[in-house]
Amino acid sequence: VLTAQSAHSDMKVEEDAIKRKDGCDFMFGMGHQLRLPWRTIATACVFFHRFFARQLLVEYNHRFVAAASLFLAAKVEDT
């Protein structure tokens, strides 16, 4: 799957997929440690992927965005 950001940057599709997976793994690990409901973690993953659907992955630290996504998901889901 060629994402819009991969087409506009020097990042390869494989690198893009690895960073996206790492971001979700990071959110699942932190969510588990914080004892957040699965729905909150899943919402965070959606926020994460939506953000990077519009922004270049090379311009932002994917772990910072993952942490922010988890924070926002916890607020949205009232956990």
Side-chain angles (χ1 to χ4, degrees):
V1 175
L2 183 63
T3 63
Q5 70 173 357
S6 298
H8 292 96
S9 72
D10 294 332
M11 181 178 283
K12 295 180 182 175
V13 176
E14 295 84 17
E15 291 176 43
D16 178 72
I18 289 169
K19 287 192 175 189
R20 286 175 179 262
K21 183 181 180 313
D22 182 58
C24 284
D25 289 345
F26 176 75
M27 287 184 285
F28 274 100
M30 290 303 299
H32 180 70
Q33 288 179 1
L34 295 170
R35 297 175 196 209
L36 294 174
W38 288 109
R39 182 177 177 149
T40 303
I41 299 168
T43 301
C45 285
V46 170
F47 289 163
F48 180 80
H49 288 300
R50 280 180 148 183
F51 179 82
F52 283 122
R54 292 173 177 79
Q55 301 297 324
L56 294 177
L57 194 60
V58 295
E59 292 181 6
Y60 297 93
N61 183 315
H62 65 284
R63 290 241 171 152
F64 289 162
V65 175
S69 299
L70 196 58
F71 174 77
L72 289 174
K75 293 294 185 182
V76 168
E77 297 293 337
D78 285 331
T79 48

